[in-house]
Amino acid sequence: MAVINWLLDAGPTVFLPLLLFIFGLVLRIKPGKAFKAALMVGIGFTGLNLIIGLLTDNLGPAAQAMVKNFGLSLNAIDVGWPAASAISYGTTLGSLAIPIGVALNVFLLVIGLTKTLDVDLWNYWHIAFSGSLVYAATNNFGLGLFTMIVHAMWIYFLADLAAPTIQKHYGLEGISFPQGASAPGFVLALPINWLLDRIPGIRDIHWTPETIQKKLGVFGDSAVMGLIIGIVIGALAQYDLTKMLNLGITTSAVLILMPRMVAILMEGLSPISEAANTMVQKKFPGRNLYIGMDSALAVGQEAVLSASLILVPVSLLIAVILPGNRVLPFGDLATIPFMLAVMAAVFGGNVFRIVVGGVIDLAVSLYIASWIAPLLTAAAKSAHFAMNGATSISVLSDGGAWTTLLIVGMGKLMSWGGMAIVFAIVLGLMIWLNKFKKSDKSVSE
């Protein structure tokens, strides 16, 4: 536990490169090459965190200003994923998420029920999140542990299912995204894409950053689009001209710098991914191995970022007009690209469809996040999380995922019986995908 707590305190930018360096040595990569690869991954994640922080620090105050200007009164505050992860790992139950997730991942790899080797240990907070919520609802520690196992299985299944689509769209060979906030979007995007394909007129709309730039000229350039979107958000926040321009430059910088950071990260990850696949082919002929990584690898794509920035003010509008919604989007406004990363692959980078899918996803997420608000508030108090005067908190990303509704809902309503049903479903799906469905062809096709 002391080692685990040290890793958590160090954060993913430290322990992920450390883990990848050790993993590289195990894969018999030369120490110098393994060290350089791990260091580049750390540099890439550091850059991504800086840019996401830049976006958060500027979007957060703008969102608060918009809320104040329009007189919104939603009583559950979206505290964002950083706070949610701190709450999740801060409970006794949540502190066990990493060893449980790693042991389960290795076991499922050995018996052939997953192809994903999840090296993104930090994101096991997602299963700590659901386990802590079920524990808060039932006061049953054993059920909370079982919840984390079931949730991890769902994440591995969804990562395996979406991997071919992700690899094809983003060009990320051998990569999957076992991240609780983004992986569920794959299943949600499939029926939306199917429906849009069957609506005359709508099915022919295809916006990509390239086609937008071609039609709009300089105004379609990603840097200029970021500037315009930032200025519009600033105007809605009733900023003065200087602050509007500053926000515009910031959003423009994010659109340009994010892909650069992802490229640096991939530069370090590529040799490790290649060595892992080589090892698997030797040890398990005919089996493919996916390296499970954070969906931060995809958020730098222009289509994802452009659609996400459009959805920032839209999310606030949706929160106001949805009857029964209690959650005020705030902390996770900068997390919208992560929520859309896998969905965007299904939509083939079509900005129009990403925005449409994002609107539906946000509406669903707000309702689910409203439902879990009392449970997350209770878990926060159990973890001695500083509420800073808030009486009710929620989180838009993980708190709004349909997997949270399914897993936590069944655990709360039916206890062990409900969780056993969810376990049986995901076990059956994993057997189908890994034992009977032989092709790695994209499901979205």
Side-chain angles (χ1 to χ4, degrees):
M1 290 308 302
V3 173
I4 290 172
N5 288 332
W6 180 85
L7 290 173
L8 293 177
D9 291 339
T13 55
V14 173
F15 81 71
L16 184 57
L18 177 62
L19 177 69
L20 288 173
F21 174 64
I22 296 172
F23 187 44
L25 295 179
V26 172
L27 295 174
R28 298 183 179 180
I29 299 175
K30 292 181 178 179
K33 185 177 180 180
F35 177 78
K36 178 65 180 300
L39 180 61
M40 294 304 290
V41 169
I43 292 170
F45 261 109
T46 299
L48 283 172
N49 286 338
L50 288 172
I51 295 168
I52 292 169
L54 181 68
L55 188 62
T56 303
D57 292 343
N58 287 271
L59 275 181
Q64 281 185 317
M66 283 190 282
V67 168
K68 183 178 180 181
N69 293 337
F70 292 101
L72 307 183
S73 56
L74 301 169
N75 61 4
I77 304 299
D78 164 30
V79 294
W81 75 264
S85 63
I87 293 168
S88 303
Y89 277 142
T91 64
T92 303
L93 182 72
S95 65
L96 300 173
I98 290 179
I100 287 175
V102 170
L104 179 65
N105 188 210
V106 172
F107 175 72
L108 293 173
L109 280 167
V110 170
I111 65 175
L113 286 187
T114 186
K115 297 176 182 177
T116 292
L117 173 61
D118 190 0
V119 301
D120 186 20
L121 299 189
W122 171 261
N123 273 314
Y124 280 122
W125 78 262
H126 297 282
I127 68 172
F129 178 81
S130 58
S132 297
L133 292 185
V134 169
Y135 180 53
T138 64
N139 201 33
N140 188 320
F141 192 84
L143 183 59
L145 290 174
F146 187 43
T147 298
M148 291 197 294
I149 292 173
V150 173
H151 192 181
M153 292 175 67
W154 273 102
I155 290 174
Y156 298 143
F157 165 71
L158 292 172
D160 288 346
L161 186 69
T165 302
I166 289 168
Q167 292 168 15
K168 178 181 177 181
H169 178 68
Y170 291 113
L172 299 173
E173 185 178 353
I175 300 297
S176 67
F177 292 155
Q179 189 191 40
S182 59
F186 183 77
V187 173
L188 183 62
L190 289 175
I192 296 174
N193 201 48
W194 180 89
L195 180 62
L196 293 176
D197 276 340
R198 283 153 181 80
I199 302 177
I202 297 295
R203 66 188 173 200
D204 299 322
I205 299 176
H206 192 77
W207 300 347
T208 65
E210 292 77 20
T211 57
I212 292 173
Q213 184 172 350
K214 184 177 180 180
K215 291 181 179 180
L216 299 180
V218 67
F219 295 101
D221 181 82
S222 57
V224 179
M225 284 182 62
L227 176 67
I228 294 171
I229 293 170
I231 290 174
V232 170
I233 294 173
L236 291 172
Q238 296 183 8
Y239 280 177
D240 59 32
L241 180 60
T242 301
K243 293 183 70 174
M244 286 169 55
L245 291 174
N246 277 326
L247 184 58
I249 293 296
T250 298
T251 53
S252 180
V254 168
L255 282 174
I256 295 300
L257 294 176
M258 188 82 82
R260 308 288 201 275
M261 295 303 104
V262 173
I264 292 173
L265 197 153
M266 284 305 301
E267 181 183 337
L269 189 62
S270 293
I272 296 175
S273 177
E274 292 170 4
N277 276 302
T278 300
M279 182 199 71
V280 170
Q281 291 302 317
K282 289 181 179 178
K283 300 290 184 180
F284 306 98
R287 283 186 60 182
N288 292 326
L289 177 72
Y290 306 143
I291 303 299
M293 291 294 295
D294 194 307
S295 53
L297 293 178
V299 300
Q301 191 193 53
E302 290 183 8
V304 176
L305 282 174
S306 299
S308 300
L309 289 171
I310 293 170
L311 287 169
V312 168
V314 171
S315 66
L316 294 169
L317 174 64
I318 296 171
V320 174
I321 65 177
L322 276 184
N325 171 53
R326 297 177 51 208
V327 175
L328 171 64
F330 174 60
D332 264 339
L333 289 176
T335 310
I336 291 176
F338 291 83
M339 298 171 64
L340 300 181
V342 176
M343 297 181 72
V346 176
F347 297 135
N350 186 332
V351 177
F352 172 77
R353 294 197 178 194
I354 298 172
V355 171
V356 172
V359 168
I360 296 171
D361 186 24
L362 286 167
V364 172
S365 297
L366 284 167
Y367 277 128
I368 300 174
S370 296
W371 176 75
I372 67 102
L375 298 179
L376 183 57
T377 302
K381 292 177 180 177
S382 175
H384 305 292
F385 179 76
M387 301 282 286
N388 295 325
T391 57
S392 179
I393 62 173
S394 189
V395 59
L396 186 60
S397 52
D398 259 65
W402 63 262
T403 46
T404 298
L405 178 64
L406 173 66
I407 297 168
V408 178
M410 291 294 281
K412 180 182 178 182
L413 295 175
M414 299 177 63
S415 188
W416 285 99
M419 201 59 63
I421 292 173
V422 181
F423 170 77
I425 292 172
V426 69
L427 179 61
L429 289 171
M430 294 181 90
I431 293 172
W432 162 75
L433 183 64
N434 292 284
K435 300 297 184 182
F436 296 101
K437 186 177 180 297
K438 299 298 184 182
S439 174
D440 273 351
K441 185 179 180 181
S442 168
V443 175
S444 61
E445 296 175 6

